[in-house]
Amino acid sequence: MSTEGFVKQIIQLSQQSEELFAHYLLAQDNLYRKIPENEQAALVAKAIASGQAAARHLQSLSLSDFLAEAGISVTYVEETSSKTKVAYTLAEIRLPNRITLNRTLLDSGQQLIDQQEALQFLVERAPIADVLIAHELYHYLENRDQLYTTEKHVQYKIGPFSKTVRIHSLSEIAATAFAKEVFDLSFSPLLFNPVLLYKFDTAFSESFNEQLLKQVE
């Protein structure tokens, strides 16, 4: 696929609903098959609402001021592997108070955006790093305040035993909604995954887009 084709895919995906991305994330969960189909929409809706509600914590503070008040540090690492992987870490939080960003992939994504005028909308509201930090910040808040996404939502049986478990993808759904709400983005922050990885691992990015676009058809 050409770069122009990839950019067109990103633009098409930027016009899709938050629910499309949320259902994609839910389907990636290891326990997805344990979730009754008639409960999935409600779980997704509540996770999105949890992220949006948590964003009110930043209404009166800038992102940097909130991080300072909470004592959260932000550090950067370089991508050390040049081999194709099944997953990449763009950002992560080490509780209680350290967020780490992948500078290699941030720079790679920014370079693509700089070269493609059609992708400028991705950084009109906030720098990529701030959006990724906000995503990780939700995980800090959900643990600090024991939000909806830390609860156990699904019960299933293993032989004669019943087990109630937490669905971890709901945290990712809420964190994505949180970052979108904080910066009033018109698109899902999940789009930064393929954009940041495109120059580094083109096949990975194209595959990511294709999985999302299957839900559009």
Side-chain angles (χ1 to χ4, degrees), residues 15-208:
Q15 299 165 354
Q16 305 307 313
S17 69
E18 188 67 20
E19 285 74 17
L20 179 138
F21 295 92
H23 281 284
Y24 165 80
L25 288 171
L26 188 68
Q28 308 310 305
D29 199 288
N30 291 333
L31 295 172
Y32 178 66
R33 295 183 183 278
K34 305 291 186 184
I35 307 172
E37 189 172 348
N38 63 351
E39 295 179 14
Q40 291 175 12
L43 288 170
V44 163
K46 289 178 181 177
I48 291 173
S50 178
Q52 292 171 337
R56 299 186 191 123
H57 286 284
L58 269 71
Q59 282 184 337
S60 59
L61 287 174
S62 67
L63 182 64
S64 58
D65 286 344
F66 187 93
L67 293 172
E69 284 197 8
I72 298 173
S73 65
V74 177
T75 58
Y76 291 83
V77 296
E78 304 294 332
E79 179 63 45
T80 56
S81 174
S82 60
K83 296 181 180 179
T84 297
K85 300 193 289 189
V86 296
Y88 291 87
T89 300
L90 305 183
E92 65 178 347
I93 186 165
R94 299 283 182 90
L95 295 172
N97 59 3
R98 187 175 69 176
I99 293 173
T100 302
L101 302 181
N102 189 320
R103 190 190 301 276
T104 306
L105 300 181
L106 273 171
D107 290 346
S108 180
Q110 186 62 57
Q111 185 182 48
L112 175 66
I113 292 170
D114 290 343
Q115 293 170 349
Q116 300 293 326
E117 186 176 353
L119 295 182
Q120 294 297 313
F121 72 94
L122 293 172
V123 292
E124 285 177 350
R125 292 282 186 175
I128 304 170
D130 284 2
V131 178
L132 298 187
I133 290 168
H135 180 105
E136 298 307 315
L137 186 55
Y138 175 81
H139 297 308
Y140 166 82
L141 291 170
E142 71 174 336
N143 281 278
R144 188 192 72 178
D145 301 338
Q146 291 298 288
L147 301 179
Y148 169 78
T149 46
T150 65
E151 299 171 7
K152 295 179 179 180
H153 303 99
V154 173
Q155 185 178 68
Y156 65 94
K157 287 189 175 182
I158 304 176
F161 305 102
S162 290
K163 187 174 183 179
T164 304
V165 294
R166 177 183 176 187
I167 303 299
H168 289 279
S169 61
L170 296 180
S171 291
E172 294 306 307
I173 292 168
T176 301
F178 175 85
K180 182 177 181 180
E181 184 77 9
V182 165
F183 294 113
D184 192 25
L185 301 178
S186 62
F187 59 91
S188 172
L190 200 62
L191 285 184
F192 283 122
N193 289 38
V195 169
L196 267 61
L197 284 160
Y198 181 72
K199 283 181 170 292
F200 195 82
D201 188 343
T202 303
F204 183 100
S205 290
E206 291 178 347
S207 175
F208 190 95

